[in-house]
Amino acid sequence: MPHEDKPAGHQAQTGHLEKEEIRLWRLALWFLVLLAIGFAALAWERLQNLPYHLVAFGLVAVAVLFAVYVYGRHRQVSALRNLLDGLEKRGGMAPSEEQLDQLSQVLARSQRSFKELIDSFDDVAFAASLDGTLRTVNRRVTQLLRLSYSEIVGHKADEFILEPKLNDAENGLARFLERRRWSGVVQVRLKNSSRSLYFECVLNAIIHDNQIVGASALARDVTEEREKEKRFTELFETLQEGVYFSTPEGNLLEANAALVQMLGYSGRDELLALTATALNSDPNEAPVLGRSAGDRGGERAREISLRRKDGTVGIFQDTSRAVRDTTGEIIRYQGTLVDITERRKMERTLRRQEEFQRYLLESFPDLILVIDLNETYSFVSSRIRDLLGYHPEDFLGKKLEDLQDHSPELVALYRDVSTGRKKFGFSEYGARHRDGSWRTMRATASPLFDADNKVNGVIVSVRDITLEKKLEQQIIQSERLAAMGQMIGGFAHELNNPLTSIMGVAELLQENESSEPVRKQLAMLQQQARRAADVVQNLMYFSRPPSPGKGTINLGELVQRTLHLHAYSLRKNNITVDFLSDASLPPVEGDPHQLMQVFLNLILNAEQAMRDVRDRGTLRVRLENGTNSVSAIFQDDGPGIPVKILPNIFDPFYTTKRPGRGTGLGLSICKAILREHLGNIEASSGPGGGALFTVTLPVPSSK
């Protein structure tokens, strides 16, 4: 079949259709490029913080949407091409109404698809001529203006927008025409709203026949972000805490006004210009705001010292953490600084005051107890170690009645004060020492008030009065003995006169009596009367010494007088006295009354020691002459003195006797008397057993 040339009109239509198809592909490609550039410009900072797989997923989604759009446009172009091929087959005949209807439907679907694509954007998209007339807008614009598409298209933008003014836009028109592109943030205020909106815009020129006829715009609403930034900026600047951003090396990148003021600088720029070590309290150390090489960037809370502008050093609470880029690399640190210098000074002052109060309580001579309203020890001073041998921890947290050997008197005192029955109170009670011995305590209690002036416990001051009690008993005993001495002196004086008369009469009767038996009886009567007179004289000598003060003493005579004074008790208890005097002893100086007290005490101790272990015993008394001294040695055959107590027997109130048998003051008084006489007393165990006491007195030098 011969080939027929196609009509020239048909060829022109076919070429035009191909050009339209090429133009369509080119327009789609440029639209994709512009869309990608606009999207990247608007979301560049967010994309930086997104993981790689999310970016890739977004790009794939955009590519799929674009492929669907292109496929639809390709189908529309194919439909147009088929229509033209049908027209071509009819050989130049006029298209039918059906064909024209199909052609208009294809064109309408094409326009509708393109508009649906634009309307699917969440961002604002529109096209406008250079005079500001809106040519097309997407659905987002109609939502913002609350108008229909037809009410917007064909109208100028200043009919709907108060700001920016059209004049302001014309000022930048020349630069836009030169570069054919513009991007930035625009503040917009619509006429239908008083609220200011912020958009990140990208404008691209619309070119026809190489001439710029308008501009297409893609704008993302960043109002909320700007408001958040504004609120953050206001918060950043108004925070009382210092806020900073720094490099990993410790250089400041940003600081708020509070931090500038804390460090005493005149402005932010002056502070940010400092080197990394300028804030160090010690310039030789690493930068105080820097991090070590191995730091993983976790949150760090610490106290640091920073040097202010005036050179003073402040203490700050630093809380910071790292900020990373998309690769995970630390790019900066951000943190807060709180000035705690004054707080630390106050804490040190309070600590010193608390330590002073604690030292004051610990140094107080009395034991201090604080007992709360639950009858529980809440404070016990360390004085308890000295008084009772316990540690404060042994009492803290325990109730009064839970402790072993607790004192009912102390419990009663606490309850009287804590319940308000007594405002102040005191009590004496017995307390067992940790070593098992009993001590006498005097407690004084008063209410303990809190900050609201309410009673929240009882404070008790406890003092050991064991020594005072023993001294009191000793004083009472001494007073009794003194009274007895005065009575004995009076009795002795009264007995001395009749005894003198008896001795005189016996002597006269003896001279006139011729019967030998009667003379012997009178002699015995005179002898017993003289003996009674000697006893009376010794009692008078002991109770009222004839000459007070020190004088010359015959030691042998003084010891014998003491033995005679106690002879009856010794005989009654079957104790034999082996006394050997020495007439060649030189005299000594002293108070005979006090020395008789020393010798009598040693005789009494020996008597009690022997009587406790046997029915009879022997007291051996010897006088010896030494170099510039004389000695009186008292040795009994009792149980002796254990070696472990020898160092303590001269201590006050130390006694091995049963309760009621002694106060523990006898030997300590003897030692004190001999010390006043420049002498000494020593104790030891005798060679054959028993106790041995040696009294040494100095011999006065001859002038």
Side-chain angles (χ1 to χ4, degrees):
M1 183 175 179
H3 177 72
E4 294 181 0
D5 293 335
K6 296 180 180 181
H10 173 71
Q11 293 179 354
Q13 289 177 354
T14 303
H16 181 72
L17 185 60
E18 291 178 352
K19 288 181 181 180
E20 285 296 323
E21 184 176 7
I22 293 172
R23 182 173 176 272
L24 174 63
W25 282 100
R26 188 176 299 167
L27 179 62
L29 180 61
W30 274 107
F31 179 76
L32 178 63
V33 171
L34 292 176
L35 181 63
I37 292 173
F39 179 75
L42 294 176
W44 176 251
E45 186 173 353
R46 290 187 176 182
L47 288 174
Q48 280 186 320
N49 296 324
L50 288 176
Y52 176 76
H53 65 278
L54 291 180
V55 177
F57 177 77
L59 293 176
V60 170
V62 172
V64 170
L65 290 175
F66 178 70
V68 171
Y69 171 74
V70 171
Y71 176 73
R73 297 292 292 173
H74 179 69
R75 289 186 60 187
Q76 293 174 3
V77 173
S78 297
L80 288 173
R81 183 175 293 169
N82 292 335
L83 285 174
L84 291 176
D85 288 342
L87 292 174
E88 179 183 2
K89 290 179 181 179
R90 296 185 58 175
M93 296 177 60
S96 66
E97 291 183 2
E98 182 180 358
Q99 289 175 334
L100 291 175
D101 185 53
Q102 290 178 355
L103 183 60
S104 81
Q105 289 179 3
V106 169
L107 292 174
R109 283 197 302 270
S110 176
Q111 292 176 354
R112 188 165 55 252
S113 297
F114 182 79
K115 190 172 188 312
E116 288 176 354
L117 177 65
I118 298 299
D119 287 340
S120 65
F121 295 161
D122 290 333
D123 297 333
V124 171
F126 65 89
S129 60
L130 295 180
D131 62 355
T133 302
L134 296 172
R135 296 304 181 187
T136 184
V137 296
N138 68 344
R139 184 180 292 110
R140 179 60 177 156
V141 176
T142 63
Q143 292 173 349
L144 285 174
L145 298 179
R146 286 178 277 183
L147 296 171
S148 64
Y149 181 84
S150 59
E151 291 175 323
I152 299 174
V153 175
H155 296 268
K156 290 191 176 182
D158 58 357
E159 296 181 21
F160 314 105
I161 300 174
L162 288 177
E163 292 181 1
K165 301 292 185 182
L166 185 61
N167 296 336
D168 298 333
E170 290 176 352
N171 294 334
L173 182 61
R175 190 173 183 182
F176 172 73
L177 295 176
E178 179 183 355
R179 297 189 176 184
R180 300 186 177 186
R181 188 178 183 280
W182 179 86
S183 62
V185 178
V186 178
Q187 181 180 358
V188 178
R189 191 158 65 89
L190 303 177
K191 289 185 176 181
N192 62 356
S193 174
S194 60
R195 182 187 179 192
S196 295
L197 303 176
Y198 294 88
F199 293 90
E200 283 187 357
C201 298
V202 177
L203 297 180
N204 290 284
I206 298 176
I207 302 174
H208 182 72
D209 294 335
N210 205 24
Q211 295 291 328
I212 298 176
V213 296
S216 64
L218 185 64
R220 182 168 64 92
D221 189 350
V222 294
T223 305
E224 291 186 4
E225 296 178 5
R226 287 298 296 267
E227 289 178 350
K228 289 179 180 178
E229 291 178 359
K230 182 179 179 182
R231 288 195 296 268
F232 174 77
T233 302
E234 292 175 352
L235 180 64
F236 182 79
E237 293 298 334
T238 57
L239 277 175
Q240 297 301 313
E241 295 83 3
V243 183
Y244 71 92
F245 297 90
S246 68
T247 64
E249 295 77 24
N251 291 302
L252 284 173
L253 297 173
E254 186 59 82
N256 68 342
L259 182 57
V260 175
Q261 183 179 3
M262 284 181 190
L263 297 177
Y265 287 88
S266 57
R268 180 183 285 107
D269 295 338
E270 183 182 10
L271 178 60
L272 300 182
L274 298 177
T275 61
T277 59
L279 295 177
N280 284 24
S281 59
D282 185 357
N284 298 323
E285 295 181 353
V288 66
L289 296 181
R291 298 265 185 145
S292 60
D295 187 7
R296 297 182 179 180
E299 185 171 340
R300 180 173 67 178
R302 56 175 183 157
E303 285 188 10
I304 58 176
S305 298
L306 297 179
R307 184 178 298 277
R308 299 187 180 94
K309 182 179 179 180
D310 58 6
T312 59
V313 176
I315 303 175
F316 294 82
Q317 179 70 37
D318 175 34
T319 305
S320 62
R321 65 179 307 159
V323 177
R324 304 176 183 273
D325 59 13
T326 55
T327 64
E329 188 72 20
I330 296 176
I331 56 176
R332 69 176 183 271
Y333 286 94
Q334 60 189 28
T336 59
L337 291 171
V338 180
D339 191 347
I340 58 174
T341 308
E342 293 301 322
R343 186 195 309 171
R344 289 292 177 262
K345 288 182 180 178
M346 291 178 61
E347 289 175 355
R348 287 195 295 269
T349 302
L350 290 175
R351 193 180 301 114
R352 285 195 296 266
Q353 292 177 353
E354 291 174 355
E355 290 177 353
F356 173 76
Q357 294 172 359
R358 181 169 58 85
Y359 292 147
L360 181 64
L361 290 176
E362 298 296 343
S363 302
F364 204 68
D366 293 347
L367 168 64
I368 304 299
L369 304 173
V370 177
I371 308 170
D372 62 23
L373 297 179
N374 296 321
E375 299 188 0
T376 302
Y377 288 99
S378 59
F379 176 81
V380 179
S381 67
S382 60
R383 183 67 174 162
I384 195 170
R385 297 190 185 97
D386 302 325
L387 295 187
L388 296 175
Y390 291 95
H391 296 282
E393 295 78 13
D394 299 331
F395 283 69
L396 288 174
K398 296 182 180 178
K399 290 184 175 295
L400 281 171
E401 296 183 342
D402 291 345
L403 295 174
Q404 187 179 8
D405 299 325
H406 69 276
S407 170
E409 294 85 356
L410 181 61
V411 175
L413 174 64
Y414 161 80
R415 290 174 180 171
D416 286 343
V417 175
S418 62
T419 57
R421 287 196 294 266
K422 292 182 179 179
K423 190 172 183 181
F424 298 99
F426 68 91
S427 174
E428 291 185 3
Y429 65 95
R432 186 187 291 274
H433 195 277
R434 198 166 193 171
D435 61 7
S437 61
W438 283 91
R439 306 293 175 88
T440 304
M441 301 292 182
R442 178 183 288 122
T444 304
S446 61
L448 182 65
F449 296 93
D450 59 13
D452 298 327
N453 203 30
K454 295 181 179 179
V455 177
N456 66 349
V458 175
I459 183 168
V460 184
S461 174
V462 181
R463 176 172 296 183
D464 186 351
I465 60 171
T466 307
L467 179 61
E468 288 85 342
K469 278 294 181 182
K470 290 184 177 180
L471 287 175
E472 181 181 341
Q473 294 173 2
Q474 183 66 23
I475 290 172
I476 294 173
Q477 184 68 16
S478 298
E479 290 178 352
R480 289 177 179 175
L481 292 175
M484 186 178 295
Q486 293 177 359
M487 292 174 62
I488 289 173
F491 292 156
H493 180 73
E494 293 297 327
L495 290 173
N496 193 46
N497 293 331
L499 286 174
T500 303
S501 299
I502 292 172
M503 286 188 296
V505 171
E507 186 177 358
L508 289 174
L509 291 174
Q510 190 177 6
E511 291 178 356
N512 298 326
E513 183 63 45
S514 59
S515 174
E516 188 63 26
V518 176
R519 288 175 62 86
K520 288 182 179 181
Q521 290 178 356
L522 291 174
M524 185 177 63
L525 177 63
Q526 184 182 14
Q527 182 182 3
Q528 294 301 321
R530 186 175 296 279
R531 181 181 175 187
D534 290 340
V535 172
V536 170
Q537 186 177 4
N538 289 334
L539 285 173
M540 292 178 62
Y541 188 83
F542 181 75
S543 62
R544 288 201 304 268
S547 56
K550 293 182 180 180
T552 302
I553 298 172
N554 185 325
L555 190 60
E557 181 182 348
L558 191 63
V559 172
Q560 188 158 2
R561 280 180 179 275
T562 307
L563 289 171
H564 287 169
L565 187 64
H566 200 62
Y568 174 77
S569 179
L570 293 173
R571 286 196 307 272
K572 181 179 178 182
N573 291 293
N574 298 321
I575 295 175
T576 303
V577 178
D578 180 9
F579 174 60
L580 183 61
S581 182
D582 187 355
S584 63
L585 288 178
V588 296
E589 288 186 356
D591 187 335
H593 177 68
Q594 291 183 348
L595 292 178
M596 281 186 71
Q597 185 177 354
V598 172
F599 299 146
L600 184 60
N601 197 309
L602 295 177
I603 295 170
L604 287 171
N605 287 345
E607 177 188 359
Q608 291 177 0
M610 291 183 287
R611 191 173 57 190
D612 289 341
V613 296
R614 56 172 58 92
D615 295 335
R616 60 181 61 250
T618 301
L619 175 60
R620 186 171 180 268
V621 183
R622 294 289 183 267
L623 301 178
E624 294 182 356
N625 189 5
T627 305
N628 299 325
S629 65
V630 293
S631 300
I633 303 170
F634 296 80
Q635 182 179 359
D636 61 60
D637 55 359
I641 305 173
V643 177
K644 63 179 182 180
I645 70 171
L646 271 174
N648 301 320
I649 62 173
F650 294 106
D651 294 341
F653 303 108
Y654 185 85
T655 180
T656 59
K657 298 177 183 178
R658 295 192 303 273
R661 297 289 300 275
T663 61
L665 291 172
L667 290 178
S668 63
I669 293 174
C670 291
K671 195 169 185 68
I673 292 173
L674 290 171
R675 191 181 296 117
E676 291 179 0
H677 286 75
L678 303 179
N680 191 23
I681 182 171
E682 296 177 351
S684 63
S685 293
L692 189 148
F693 287 87
T694 303
V695 176
T696 305
L697 291 168
V699 175
S701 59
S702 58
K703 297 183 181 179

